Amino acid sequence: MNSRIKLLPDHVANQIAAGEVIQRPASVVKELLENAVDSKANKIQLNIKNAGKTLIQVIDNGEGINNEDLCIAFERHATSKINIADDLFRINTKGFRGEALASIAAISHVEMHSKTKNDEVSHSLKIEGSKIINQSLSAKRFGTSISVKNLFYNIPARRNFLKSDNVELRHVIDEFQRIALSHPEINFLFNNNGIEIFNLSNSNFKKRISSIFGFKSENYLVPTDENTSLVKIKGFIYKPEFSKKTRGNQFFFVNNRFIKSPFLHHAVISAFEGLLKPGYLPGYFLNLKIDPKKIDINIHPTKTEIKFEEEQSIYAVIRSSVKHSLGIFQVIPTLDFEQNRSLEVPYAFKSKNPKPPKIEVNSEFNPFKGDSVTPSIKNIKYESFRTATQNDNSDPTEHPKLSIDSPESIRVFQLFLKYIVCPLQTSMIIIDQNRAHQRILYEDFLASITTKKNSSQQLLFPIKIKLNSRQRLEFENINEILDSIGFKLKLRKDSSLEIYGYPQQCPESKTEEIIDSLLSGENIDHSIEHFSQADQISKKLAKKLAIKTGDFLESEEQQMLLNNFFGCKETQVSPFNKPIFIALKKEDIEQKIN
Ligand code: ADP
Ligand code: MG
């Protein structure tokens, strides 16, 4: 009797497998981007047409595939990422199942070009419905480019099941964001129908979050950092007031892979208990590092669900570390900014009515006395206040929205016109106002230079200064950096320089002096690379513009200083490597008084 049981032909098996891995264009995008990441590329471009229904193309500059491997790559269970079963317990790559390319090739028209560093030319392959229809050589750059056209052309039911372009694009963007967030060190570009959707330069995690979710979001990020033998957690949570009703700001990454975990999500929810309005979800971006031996990624074909060996303990660590971050933040409540911090005039009193300028004459003023409050310092403060209110057409009597506490209730005070004292739960910190402000400004300027985003104020009547030949040369050298900080300058034929814009952190009255001194070139060493120049300029500006010892600060200014300071990446030392604050522990105080 003839056997009724037959082995399925490969192309049918592949089509069935494809059903599990590839549900929609976004699934193809995920798999191709993951392959590009695994290829160690540092630049990855995604181009799609009609939300990926017509075309999905991924171009990387990674290590490529050699000619021999190119055909095998499309076979089912073909992978270069694991060799033996034990490798499953030390996975460091995104892929390992060897299914993606086989699945994609079974249900679309695929074209792949690849060139390794050992190849003279690039190899190309064309596949339609699992069949190789063309192989050729071409001249291309290193790396791999893969195009997937006409997805589900041979499975009409699937094709018809696809949603509108808008919905499918949303899914593609979700997948793109997850991968872009797991790898801030990679430069990602993304175009749909020729229109740029993302252009993410390589950066750090925090910057990557803000370049995806908007610059404003950076002000609401609170760092979370925890190191245990079981799991290391590093990332950010959004302050409670930035929580939303809709999903979209919840991200767990385990060993650089985005995962979904309702269980761990609950750990974060429970840490936020009591801080969120009903129906609101906390936002978080948490990277977990766990020994690959202690997790199983292989429980779902799309690899977004993971089994943890010690799930309960991980839950506890997440909950306590999020609570800890919230705790630190809670004692330093923040004002709800409408703007990004770098767009903020430091210590502007937005909540106050502008006062007419007063000419202050300090009859006690003695230029030979060290730290006296000089009239010029008062001037600076008044000006920064004015620039802030000038452009602010909101009701000046309206107080900034407060997150948890009202500012009056935080007991922060200024000591010796030099320090800001801030009592915490079990300690007291004493912050040097000048150094803390230097740190804030320094990070602001560096951020403007790297992101090219700044808040330039326009001068109604441009300031003109005459440059000497040395300053002219210096202008050519550093204009690009000054421009990215927000100084808008134009050099005229007669060697005069027109200043028609200046950054918000700089008072208008100081602009001319600052440009003049920056162009005098003292301290800027051009033998070093661009970044170090930017660093030097940022330091110089921070030093010149920071609040000084002897400056009186209103209580709002003190809080703003503290708030911005705690948003800094580095809080230990000033840009000039001086300590910024000391913490007195309760026990220490008790011991001293004993
Ligand atoms: P997996 O990623 O699970 O190994 P895939 O089907 O996605 O399986 O890919 C098969 C193989 O093709 C990979 O293991 C890798 O060797 C090779 N490959 C796929 N895409 C690329 C790429 N962009 N650059 C270099 N090699 C690639
Ligand atoms: Mg893969």
Side-chain angles (χ1 to χ4, degrees):
M1 209 167 83
N2 276 351
S3 167
R4 286 189 297 137
I5 302 180
K6 291 188 193 76
L7 282 175
L8 290 173
D10 270 354
H11 70 275
V12 180
N14 284 342
Q15 251 191 41
I16 295 170
E20 280 184 50
V21 190
I22 309 296
Q23 281 108 27
R24 50 177 14 120
S27 336
V28 176
V29 167
K30 171 180 188 283
E31 295 297 335
L32 298 186
L33 288 178
E34 288 191 346
N35 280 348
V37 169
D38 283 344
S39 80
K40 305 192 181 73
N42 62 16
K43 190 172 180 185
I44 299 175
Q45 180 166 3
L46 167 67
N47 300 318
I48 60 172
K49 270 193 194 142
N50 303 104
K53 291 175 187 169
T54 325
L55 168 78
I56 298 163
Q57 183 187 38
V58 172
I59 307 167
D60 68 54
N61 65 352
E63 55 195 12
I65 320 174
N66 65 34
N67 192 24
E68 239 167 85
D69 286 346
L70 195 56
C71 303
I72 307 170
F74 288 89
E75 304 269 335
R76 202 137 60 94
H77 311 307
T79 180
S80 56
K81 297 166 195 172
I82 55 175
N83 286 313
I84 54 173
D86 262 4
D87 290 346
L88 275 174
F89 304 105
R90 40 178 174 251
I91 285 170
N92 288 316
T93 50
K94 296 274 165 306
F96 58 89
R97 295 171 59 110
E99 288 181 316
L101 291 188
S103 302
I104 293 167
I107 51 170
S108 65
H109 298 162
V110 178
E111 205 175 317
M112 191 159 186
H113 307 267
S114 197
K115 184 168 168 183
T116 68
K117 63 177 185 314
N118 299 321
D119 291 329
E120 302 227 313
V121 286
S122 98
H123 305 278
S124 310
L125 193 66
K126 250 186 173 171
I127 301 185
E128 286 183 5
S130 295
K131 278 197 212 64
I132 297 181
I133 56 163
N134 190 26
Q135 263 181 292
S136 60
L137 298 175
S138 56
K140 285 252 158 56
R141 296 168 300 145
F142 292 118
T144 305
S145 145
I146 177 163
S147 309
V148 174
K149 289 184 185 152
N150 310 322
L151 187 66
F152 301 130
Y153 78 100
N154 49 359
I155 316 179
R158 269 288 161 108
R159 209 177 158 85
N160 297 337
F161 157 88
L162 293 180
K163 302 278 190 328
S164 70
D165 280 13
N166 266 343
V167 174
E168 293 301 335
L169 181 62
R170 191 62 249 166
H171 285 289
V172 172
I173 290 174
D174 281 348
E175 292 296 352
F176 173 85
Q177 288 180 346
R178 291 166 181 175
I179 290 169
L181 283 169
S182 339
H183 292 279
E185 75 285 0
I186 299 178
N187 171 200
F188 283 97
L189 295 159
F190 175 10
N191 298 311
N192 178 41
N193 296 333
I195 296 162
E196 184 177 279
I197 301 190
F198 286 104
N199 182 349
L200 308 171
S201 52
N202 57 322
S203 60
N204 58 32
F205 191 46
K206 190 175 185 187
K207 289 276 171 292
R208 179 56 53 98
I209 297 172
S210 57
S211 50
I212 291 179
F213 295 96
F215 225 59
K216 186 181 149 200
S217 70
E218 200 173 316
N219 293 315
Y220 297 91
L221 292 171
V222 184
T224 302
D225 215 325
E226 192 70 69
N227 250 332
T228 69
S229 55
L230 172 66
V231 55
K232 289 188 182 26
I233 303 174
K234 229 179 157 59
F236 297 90
I237 53 172
Y238 274 136
K239 293 175 188 173
E241 75 264 29
F242 204 63
S243 58
K244 305 246 161 75
K245 277 189 164 168
T246 48
R247 296 197 155 267
N249 287 332
Q250 290 74 34
F251 292 87
F252 279 119
F253 302 93
V254 173
N255 302 346
N256 293 334
R257 180 193 303 276
F258 169 81
I259 61 136
K260 289 179 190 157
S261 169
F263 183 65
L264 299 185
H265 173 69
H266 190 267
V268 183
I269 298 256
S270 78
F272 270 81
E273 208 173 79
L275 295 174
L276 297 178
K277 284 184 253 163
Y280 281 75
L281 289 166
Y284 55 88
F285 305 85
L286 298 175
N287 286 305
L288 278 57
K289 290 270 182 286
I290 303 175
D291 181 349
K293 279 200 223 71
K294 301 202 160 164
I295 53 177
D296 182 1
I297 318 163
N298 202 16
I299 51 168
H300 195 266
T302 58
K303 298 165 291 182
T304 45
E305 278 155 51
I306 284 193
K307 240 163 69 189
F308 300 93
E309 218 173 79
E310 291 165 73
E311 204 170 38
Q312 297 291 344
S313 315
I314 295 174
Y315 181 101
V317 179
I318 291 182
R319 182 168 185 266
S320 87
S321 77
V322 172
K323 264 190 175 263
H324 182 69
S325 307
L326 285 166
I328 291 175
F329 151 64
Q330 229 186 323
V331 283
I332 305 150
T334 51
L335 306 173
D336 180 22
F337 300 124
E338 291 303 317
Q339 295 170 307
N340 162 18
R341 196 187 76 219
S342 63
L343 307 180
E344 204 87 27
V345 174
Y347 324 114
F349 329 160
K350 281 198 184 155
S351 61
K352 288 194 171 176
N353 278 313
K355 281 181 258 168
K358 271 191 289 192
I359 297 170
E360 293 197 38
V361 181
N362 182 355
S363 52
E364 311 278 47
F365 177 62
N366 173 352
F368 304 105
K369 227 168 83 188
D371 269 333
S372 60
V373 182
T374 63
S376 67
I377 286 168
K378 292 259 178 209
N379 253 345
I380 296 167
K381 288 177 62 192
Y382 172 73
E383 285 237 16
S384 42
F385 164 46
R386 190 165 58 88
T387 44
T389 43
Q390 248 172 9
N391 294 349
D392 188 4
N393 39 20
S394 63
D395 178 1
T397 57
E398 191 185 278
H399 277 270
K401 274 174 271 152
L402 289 170
S403 53
I404 295 182
D405 257 304
S406 75
E408 285 78 16
S409 67
I410 327 156
R411 294 153 301 153
V412 177
F413 60 91
Q414 196 182 19
L415 186 67
F416 313 139
L417 293 182
K418 182 168 186 187
Y419 302 106
I420 306 296
V421 181
C422 169
L424 303 181
Q425 248 157 12
T426 56
S427 63
M428 177 167 91
I429 50 174
I430 303 173
I431 300 171
D432 184 306
Q433 63 188 41
N434 169 252
R435 294 178 189 174
H437 195 205
Q438 283 183 350
R439 170 51 65 185
I440 296 165
L441 291 170
Y442 170 69
E443 292 196 6
D444 263 1
F445 290 130
L446 272 188
S448 305
I449 295 168
T450 21
T451 59
K452 306 253 185 291
K453 285 189 186 131
N454 60 61
S455 56
S456 194
Q457 303 274 306
Q458 229 184 324
L459 273 166
L460 213 51
F461 302 103
I463 304 170
K464 257 194 183 169
I465 50 176
K466 194 93 181 136
L467 299 189
N468 60 34
S469 55
R470 215 184 121 190
Q471 284 178 317
R472 228 192 117 117
L473 264 177
E474 192 63 12
F475 169 79
E476 311 283 349
N477 279 328
I478 64 172
N479 184 33
E480 198 188 324
I481 295 173
L482 296 181
D483 182 81
S484 56
I485 288 176
F487 287 108
K488 302 296 162 190
L489 311 172
K490 208 177 267 160
L491 187 63
R492 300 265 167 228
K493 281 206 184 74
D494 63 352
S495 271
S496 68
L497 186 76
E498 237 176 60
I499 308 174
Y500 60 98
Y502 59 100
Q504 258 188 338
Q505 295 93 333
C506 174
E508 186 180 333
S509 66
K510 284 210 104 186
T511 304
E512 182 176 339
E513 178 204 322
I514 284 199
I515 290 294
D516 191 67
S517 110
L518 284 175
L519 292 183
S520 303
E522 354 143 5
N523 300 335
I524 296 174
D525 179 359
H526 293 296
S527 57
I528 48 180
E529 57 200 275
H530 175 86
F531 178 75
S532 309
Q533 281 185 37
D535 188 65
Q536 287 184 11
I537 291 174
S538 303
K539 277 190 185 143
K540 236 177 143 173
L541 281 170
K543 188 169 183 175
K544 283 200 182 293
L545 294 169
I547 288 171
K548 305 283 184 297
T549 296
D551 280 359
F552 169 74
L553 299 180
E554 301 272 352
S555 76
E556 290 97 310
E557 294 176 293
Q558 298 170 23
Q559 272 139 25
M560 192 82 94
L561 176 72
L562 219 66
N563 182 56
N564 288 344
F565 173 58
F566 278 91
C568 284
K569 278 196 279 196
E570 160 68 63
T571 49
Q572 297 296 324
V573 291
S574 79
F576 305 95
N577 260 330
K578 299 256 178 63
I580 299 178
F581 69 90
I582 57 158
L584 286 179
K585 289 211 199 88
K586 190 173 160 218
E587 304 97 84
D588 298 342
I589 299 173
E590 281 169 347
Q591 226 168 32
K592 282 216 163 43
I593 293 179
N594 209 337

